[in-house]
Amino acid sequence: MQLTLAVLFSAALTSVTAEQRVSYDGYKAYSIVTGDDGQAIRDKLSDLDFVALTVHEASDHFDVAIAPDDVSEFEALGLESSVISDDLGAEFAEESIFEDYYSTSDSSLDKRQASALPALSWFNSYHTYADHRLFFNDLNAAFSQNSEIFVAGKSYQGRDIYGIHFWGAGGKGKKPAVYFHATVHAREWIAAPVEEYHAWQLINGYLTNDTQITAIVDSYDFYFIPFSNPDGFVYTQTTNRLWRKNRQPRSSSSCIGTDNNRNWPFQWSLSGGASTNPCDEDYKGLAASDTPEITTLVNYTKSINTNGIKLFIDFHSYGQYILQPYGYNCGIYPANINKQLSVANQVATRIFAYSGARYTTGASCSTLYATTGSAPDYQSGVAGAEYAWTIELRPSSSSGGGFVLPANLILTTAREQWEGLKTLFAAI
């Protein structure tokens, strides 16, 4: 029997032990070559217990995790495939070994220590939601004259959608906005650390009088939100590592969650770029902006858009893409698309020169797949952001770990993105 992620999650939620951690111990993951007939492959898998690891089936392959009791039966099918994980559960366990974080805002520290930026050892491992909040508080404490922590609003379960706002010469709220989101898809853990590394580097450069960084910070107001889906992220750490959506129930279905990156109020009603089935991973909701998270983020976007939005980036994983609008139509582009593509190519070239990682650039719909109600489309089509990008981070494919990027690649990924970001600022 096929188990999509949504069905598996729903079953876990409606059982007696509703919040028991979903185990992937012994699940073996494969990338199956599909050719031009992906449906035929799905039909052959229909009697097996498996989890689809991709939301949108690629044109030439389909990635699945097979339950341990069905591995032999899967292999007996003789499908052309390659193993991408021998044991997902073991990989999840290794990834979830979090290093302790000692806040620099701790009242027991002396004044000098308490004003210091967090150590870069933060990026040696992944962290809990609570520690991420401490990290942002410490960034603020180290740059207290030029920064503030803000709460844009609340998630469905009442968690703060928080971020940091910082600025340079001239005071706050006086310059065009640079606006970053991360972790709208809960299982994409690498997104928040990359955004945090950007904030760390910008603040550190300003504090140490780096002329290049000072010029950048003096030119913009920066707004960084590390978790635009905090409920989903917490759920990946407590219950189901592969959860994607928010945690909002719908009265019409036993399935939980909406894909907040299909819920923004721009071209939401179009078909083909999202699902109307509440059990699907890209479920769009019942109406545009009908999740509390997107209502919050729409309102917050309006509140900071007094001097225009120069740059918006929504960080995701995985695939190594730098994508420009639009997702809703493969034949429609922003007026400055040629400039955006030129800058994106410069960023990709710099990343490759720095680390050897190849990032693909292009308009979202034609380069990857169609999406409706996405954040970059809204930021470009409604908020008027000059640059509105999605960046899909490492790895390049499921064979590199997919959503489970090893902790030892956090800093590598962050550093190559930082090189790209400096190139981006120089080009715009």
Side-chain angles (χ1 to χ4, degrees):
M1 166 181 67
Q2 174 184 351
L3 285 179
T4 65
L5 290 176
V7 172
L8 179 65
F9 301 157
S10 179
L13 285 166
T14 55
S15 64
V16 174
T17 55
E19 295 305 315
Q20 182 177 352
R21 182 182 292 273
V22 175
S23 173
Y24 293 97
D25 292 347
Y27 273 73
K28 196 168 183 176
Y30 299 84
S31 184
I32 306 167
V33 176
T34 60
D36 296 326
D37 200 353
Q39 188 56 51
I41 298 296
R42 287 179 176 272
D43 291 343
K44 290 182 179 181
L45 300 175
S46 60
D47 291 331
L48 303 183
D49 180 356
F50 74 90
V51 179
L53 296 179
T54 48
V55 175
H56 294 271
E57 185 177 325
S59 60
D60 60 351
H61 70 276
F62 177 45
D63 297 340
V64 297
I66 306 294
D69 290 345
D70 284 353
V71 167
S72 296
E73 188 174 347
F74 168 80
E75 294 181 344
L77 292 174
L79 300 175
E80 184 180 353
S81 64
S82 57
V83 176
I84 56 180
S85 173
D86 284 313
D87 187 341
L88 274 182
E91 292 185 3
F92 292 163
E94 182 177 356
E95 177 195 50
S96 296
I97 299 173
F98 304 150
E99 291 188 3
D100 291 334
Y101 178 63
Y102 299 98
S103 172
T104 58
S105 299
D106 190 323
S107 59
S108 66
L109 299 175
D110 63 38
K111 185 175 181 180
R112 180 188 61 80
Q113 290 173 304
S115 63
L117 278 169
L120 283 176
S121 58
W122 166 262
F123 300 98
N124 290 344
S125 80
Y126 294 101
H127 294 277
T128 65
Y129 175 76
D131 278 355
H132 280 284
R133 184 71 179 264
L134 287 175
F135 179 88
F136 265 64
N137 289 343
D138 291 343
L139 290 179
N140 177 53
F143 201 41
S144 59
Q145 299 303 307
N146 291 71
S147 71
E148 60 189 3
I149 297 295
F150 64 84
V151 176
K154 298 287 187 178
S155 68
Y156 174 77
Q157 294 179 334
R159 292 184 175 87
D160 287 343
I161 300 175
Y162 70 88
I164 189 169
H165 169 207
F166 58 93
W167 56 88
K172 68 177 182 178
K174 303 299 177 75
K175 306 290 175 61
V178 171
Y179 186 27
F180 291 171
H181 287 183
T183 332
V184 64
H185 294 147
R187 60 196 178 193
E188 299 170 6
W189 285 11
I190 184 59
V194 166
E195 184 180 300
E196 290 164 344
Y197 188 79
H198 290 337
W200 190 99
Q201 285 287 5
L202 288 164
I203 292 172
N204 180 66
Y206 202 86
L207 290 172
T208 57
N209 298 312
D210 181 302
T211 55
Q212 178 188 12
I213 305 309
T214 297
I216 293 170
V217 175
D218 281 344
S219 298
Y220 305 104
D221 274 78
F222 291 85
Y223 303 87
F224 288 7
I225 295 177
F227 298 101
S228 54
N229 176 15
D231 298 346
F233 176 72
V234 170
Y235 195 71
T236 66
Q237 295 197 329
T238 63
T239 308
N240 196 319
R241 175 61 184 85
L242 288 175
W243 188 262
R244 168 182 165 95
K245 300 184 287 183
N246 79 349
R247 294 294 303 156
Q248 178 181 4
R250 299 286 180 171
S251 60
S252 60
S253 175
S254 61
C255 292
I256 301 292
T258 298
D259 182 347
N260 280 336
N261 204 39
R262 303 294 185 273
N263 192 245
W264 286 81
F266 179 68
Q267 304 298 346
W268 176 91
S269 61
L270 296 181
S271 61
S275 174
T276 58
N277 183 347
C279 295
D280 286 346
E281 296 287 22
D282 57 348
Y283 174 57
K284 66 194 294 184
L286 294 173
S289 194
D290 73 343
T291 68
E293 295 87 5
I294 298 307
T295 297
T296 285
L297 292 171
V298 166
N299 290 335
Y300 189 73
T301 299
K302 293 175 181 177
S303 76
I304 67 171
N305 199 11
T306 54
N307 300 298
I309 297 173
K310 182 70 172 183
L311 171 67
F312 172 83
I313 299 178
D314 199 7
F315 289 100
H316 290 253
S317 72
Y318 57 94
Q320 295 178 199
Y321 290 92
I322 303 172
L323 301 172
Q324 292 70 55
Y326 286 104
Y328 75 90
N329 188 309
C330 294
I332 297 179
Y333 308 94
N336 69 340
I337 186 60
N338 290 333
K339 175 64 173 176
Q340 292 206 51
L341 289 172
S342 174
V343 173
N345 287 332
Q346 291 176 58
V347 171
T349 297
R350 176 57 191 144
I351 291 172
F352 179 73
Y354 176 77
S355 68
R358 295 185 182 275
Y359 279 73
T360 301
T361 64
S364 177
C365 181
S366 55
T367 304
L368 198 53
Y369 45 69
T371 57
T372 52
S374 70
D377 278 14
Y378 175 88
Q379 298 297 335
S380 179
V382 177
E386 187 173 344
Y387 297 82
W389 293 3
T390 293
I391 295 185
E392 297 276 1
L393 300 164
R394 287 187 181 222
S396 60
S397 68
S398 53
S399 62
F403 300 114
V404 190
L405 187 71
N408 62 10
L409 289 178
I410 295 172
L411 201 51
T412 298
T413 306
R415 282 172 171 158
E416 71 188 14
Q417 286 295 317
W418 172 240
E419 291 300 314
L421 187 66
K422 289 187 291 182
T423 298
L424 193 163
F425 281 126
I428 64 175

